[in-house]
Amino acid sequence: MGIFDFLANSIRRGRKRRRRLGLALGSGGAKGCAHLGVLKAFEEAGIAFDVVSGTSIGSIVGALYCRGFSADDMFAIVQAINVREFAGKIRPFADMRFIEEYLSEFLEGDVTDLPKPFAAWATEVSTGEGVLLDSGPVARVCTASSAIPPFFRPVELNGRRLADGAFSNAIPADVCRDLGADLVIGCDLSAFLRPEAEKNAVMRLVGGMLQRVVPIGYRDDHKSRGYAASDLMLRPNLIDWRAVDVSRAAMQRMYEIGYEEAIGCMPAIREKLREAGI
């Protein structure tokens, strides 16, 4: 081996790739305000994510983060929504076009144009199989990942009818791995659910009716795969809140719960980062 080959190999061995931190944001509708509180805590701690994946509301928050919006920016976007007007457009199997148009104001362009690597997850209605969305118009990708029946009809994208990604991968931490993350932090918005025995008769009746009209079912591993691929899972206790709680007071409290969960887990998070060399 010549001296130049020796030097080149030495340089290559000494040049280590910077290890990357990933964030996987789970589904949960309005409970996604907790994601914003989580991100606020990370911002205050000086921790930034290199790659992000998301399902449903997690895809919207994740895309906004990768576009460069801060937690405060995103919460301001949420608070600017006319809740009454928004709710008036939601009916069984509503078209998500009005949401796509709203998101397009903040998420123009293609997923591949985002400053940080990002991917969303959706579910194909006809097969129940998960679908990776790592390209395509950002706003359309986010609505496809968020089309939860019976509130919204499936979204057409690349010749497929796509529904909420939570049916097949509620917390897409494995997607973060595929995007190149060395350490993945997940956020489960549905870690605490009210037991059936504690639900009143009306809640059980509505739940049964929804199961009959929804054209797709949850895969057995739709939650467990996210836990298996995460190094640490944040679990804000949102048991008292629902995916449709869109009052300003509810959103503010869910934001606070997410923030408190991340702050409480920060010592463990910093230890994971130290162990991973990030």
Side-chain angles (χ1 to χ4, degrees):
M1 177 186 295
I3 183 63
F4 292 110
D5 291 331
F6 174 79
L7 290 173
N9 287 337
S10 297
I11 293 171
R12 280 194 291 269
R13 285 194 298 269
R15 187 188 299 139
K16 293 183 178 180
R17 180 180 70 84
R18 186 177 70 82
R19 295 176 67 76
R20 301 205 284 180
L21 177 62
L23 177 66
L25 297 171
S27 61
K31 291 190 286 186
C33 287
H35 284 327
L36 306 185
V38 165
L39 287 172
K40 180 65 173 179
F42 280 115
E43 288 174 4
E44 291 180 352
I47 297 172
F49 294 91
D50 302 295
V51 300
V52 182
S53 62
T55 290
S56 196
I57 188 62
S59 73
I60 297 173
V61 173
L64 288 168
Y65 179 85
C66 288
R67 173 61 72 194
F69 288 94
S70 69
D72 288 342
D73 293 334
M74 288 184 258
F75 200 52
I77 291 171
V78 171
Q79 291 179 313
I81 295 173
N82 186 321
V83 175
R84 181 174 295 180
E85 180 182 337
F86 180 88
K89 294 181 179 180
I90 298 178
R91 56 188 61 84
F93 295 101
D95 193 316
M96 292 196 75
R97 209 170 315 171
F98 74 98
I99 297 179
E100 182 179 345
E101 290 172 357
Y102 182 73
L103 290 176
S104 295
E105 297 179 25
F106 313 98
L107 294 170
E108 72 284 352
D110 196 275
V111 168
T112 56
D113 298 326
L114 293 172
K116 291 177 182 280
F118 167 77
W121 192 266
T123 306
E124 189 165 22
V125 174
S126 60
T127 64
E129 294 297 321
V131 178
L132 174 69
L133 301 176
D134 58 358
S135 63
V138 187
R140 174 63 62 89
V141 162
C142 289
T143 54
S145 178
S146 307
I148 179 72
F151 302 107
F152 301 107
R153 72 179 63 166
V155 172
E156 300 279 346
L157 183 62
N158 299 327
R160 290 170 159 171
R161 295 176 67 246
L162 302 178
D164 200 291
F167 290 107
S168 53
N169 196 355
I171 313 155
D174 51 340
V175 175
C176 261
R177 297 281 182 198
D178 294 339
L179 288 172
D182 299 287
L183 186 144
V184 177
I185 297 173
C187 187
D188 182 4
L189 300 179
S190 302
F192 297 89
L193 298 175
R194 199 167 297 285
E196 283 295 318
E198 293 184 14
K199 295 180 180 178
N200 60 39
V202 173
M203 292 173 67
R204 290 197 294 271
L205 177 63
V206 171
M209 291 174 62
L210 290 178
Q211 288 181 354
R212 286 193 288 273
V213 300
V214 171
I216 189 172
Y218 287 94
R219 295 179 65 89
D220 291 341
D221 65 344
H222 77 284
K223 283 284 289 290
S224 59
R225 64 187 292 179
Y227 276 79
S230 296
D231 295 283
L232 189 146
M233 184 68 72
L234 299 178
R235 304 170 77 243
N237 189 343
L238 301 167
I239 192 170
D240 293 326
W241 309 98
R242 301 171 299 164
V244 294
D245 285 333
V246 293
S247 72
R248 298 203 183 280
M251 292 190 290
Q252 178 65 41
R253 183 60 191 132
M254 290 186 282
Y255 175 95
E256 292 167 356
I257 290 171
Y259 178 83
E260 292 160 5
E261 170 69 4
I263 290 294
C265 292
M266 201 56 70
I269 292 168
R270 290 198 181 280
E271 179 61 20
K272 287 285 186 183
L273 296 177
R274 186 192 65 76
E275 292 174 355
I278 295 177

